[in-house]
């Protein structure tokens, strides 16, 4: 049973380009979370998705960032017109359907985005 | 003030020492997680707790709901335990459905 797969592991973009980060959850997991870790800072929640639904995007920047989790295929975190401040490690985590107290989230290895 | 506070921020110890990392939180939670982040950056979930105590190998995690406090202990520490240990909570009743994280404890175990 493969773990959470994120690709690419490293992504370099110039200012103004688009960045697409992909996350394939563990088999049987229908819940995906995206987190961002800025240099020298802790992890911050961005968005929580189930298949074809955004459940909570309270941590997403209001502009340029979007996320989707289609019926088929991986979850995508999309950053349009990247700026240097977007340089960070982006982690995806997945979990099975939520139990009353929550479930362990399994993390991917992350995508390290560098904006030149 | 952060909702999740960890201490110490940095910890250096000798191989074999008993390690304790503390986590305090100021909000209602449904679960608390301990995570490990290695120098390469990958994150591993160690424990999820909502009450009591859990043990896995040399790692022990405890939580006191009334005191809003959790501890992660490492027995017979080893240099391969060197990593950042992160406490994270799932909030109850509103707020993001994702986790809220502490800033992490940087642990170095010297041989």
């Amino acid at each position: 049973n493969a773990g959470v797969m994120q690709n690419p592991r490293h992504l370099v973009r110039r200012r103004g380009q688009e960045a697409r980060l992909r996350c394939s959850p563990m088999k049987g997991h229908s819940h995906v979370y995206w987190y961002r870790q800025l240099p020298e800072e802790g992890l911050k929640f961005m968005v929580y998705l189930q298949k074809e639904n955004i459940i909570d995007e309270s941590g997403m920047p209001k502009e340029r960032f979007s996320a989707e989790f289609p019926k088929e295929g991986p979850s995508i975190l999309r950053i349009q017109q990247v700026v240097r401040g977007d340089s960070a490690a982006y982690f995806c985590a997945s979990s099975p359907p939520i139990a009353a107290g929550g479930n362990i989230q399994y993390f991917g290895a992350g995508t390290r985005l560098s904006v030149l | 003030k952060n909702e999740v506070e960890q201490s110490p921020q940095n910890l250096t110890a000798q191989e074999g020492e008993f390690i304790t990392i503390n986590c305090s939180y100021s909000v209602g939670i449904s679960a608390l997680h301990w995570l490990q982040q290695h120098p390469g950056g990958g994150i591993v979930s160690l424990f999820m707790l909502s009450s009591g105590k859990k043990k896995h190998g040399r790692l022990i995690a405890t939580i006191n709901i009334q005191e809003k406090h959790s501890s992660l202990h490492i027995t017979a520490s080893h240099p391969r335990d060197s990593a950042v240990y992160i406490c994270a909570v799932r909030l109850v009743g509103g707020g993001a459905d994702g986790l809220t994280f502490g800033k992490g404890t940087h642990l170095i175990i010297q041989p």
Side-chain angles (χ1 to χ4, degrees):
Chain A
N1 187 9
V4 178
M5 303 301 292
Q6 286 190 250
N7 67 81
R9 290 292 307 276
H10 300 274
L11 182 61
V12 179
R13 285 287 178 265
R14 297 192 180 279
R15 281 181 296 168
Q17 291 185 319
E18 179 180 284
R20 281 184 178 242
L21 288 63
R22 293 175 187 77
C23 170
S24 296
M26 285 182 71
K27 188 175 180 181
H29 287 191
S30 55
H31 297 235
V32 165
Y33 305 80
W34 284 95
Y35 298 97
R36 178 165 66 173
Q37 187 174 40
L38 291 165
E40 306 304 319
E41 291 190 23
L43 286 150
K44 297 275 194 253
F45 167 76
M46 298 182 76
V47 62
Y48 162 44
L49 309 107
Q50 296 176 25
K51 286 280 187 182
E52 300 184 281
N53 281 307
I54 296 174
I55 305 302
D56 184 342
E57 56 181 349
S58 58
M60 287 278 269
K62 294 286 184 271
E63 296 176 346
R64 303 185 297 108
F65 284 72
S66 62
E68 62 176 8
F69 188 15
K71 188 176 179 182
E72 301 291 337
S75 176
I76 306 284
L77 179 67
R78 182 181 178 211
I79 311 172
Q80 295 178 288
Q81 299 175 321
V82 296
V83 300
R84 289 219 173 99
D86 297 331
S87 297
Y90 292 83
F91 289 93
C92 167
S94 74
S95 72
I98 298 292
N103 278 325
I104 282 188
Q105 295 182 19
Y106 295 85
F107 284 78
T111 293
R112 277 140 191 89
L113 172 66
S114 297
V115 179
L116 304 178
Chain B
K1 185 177 186 299
N2 292 332
E3 291 167 316
V4 181
E5 296 277 357
Q6 285 187 237
S7 64
Q9 200 171 350
N10 298 286
L11 178 57
T12 300
Q14 295 298 122
E15 184 173 355
E17 286 189 39
F18 181 80
I19 303 300
T20 295
I21 298 170
N22 296 299
C23 175
S24 297
Y25 52 93
S26 57
V27 292
I29 69 168
S30 59
L32 182 142
H33 298 246
W34 282 102
L35 310 170
Q36 179 191 57
Q37 186 170 26
H38 274 282
I43 296 174
V44 175
S45 290
L46 299 175
F47 295 103
M48 187 188 78
L49 294 160
S50 52
S51 64
K53 175 180 174 178
K54 286 190 177 179
K55 184 176 189 292
H56 185 254
R58 295 181 294 107
L59 301 176
I60 303 166
T62 64
I63 187 167
N64 185 318
I65 298 294
Q66 286 73 31
E67 294 185 4
K68 291 187 165 60
H69 181 269
S70 175
S71 292
L72 176 68
H73 305 285
I74 305 174
T75 62
S77 58
H78 189 276
R80 66 174 173 266
D81 297 326
S82 299
V84 177
Y85 291 84
I86 302 168
C87 172
V89 300
R90 184 166 182 261
L91 303 179
V92 165
D97 279 301
L99 299 175
T100 300
F101 298 84
K103 290 188 184 294
T105 294
H106 294 247
L107 174 65
I108 297 173
I109 304 296
Q110 294 177 334

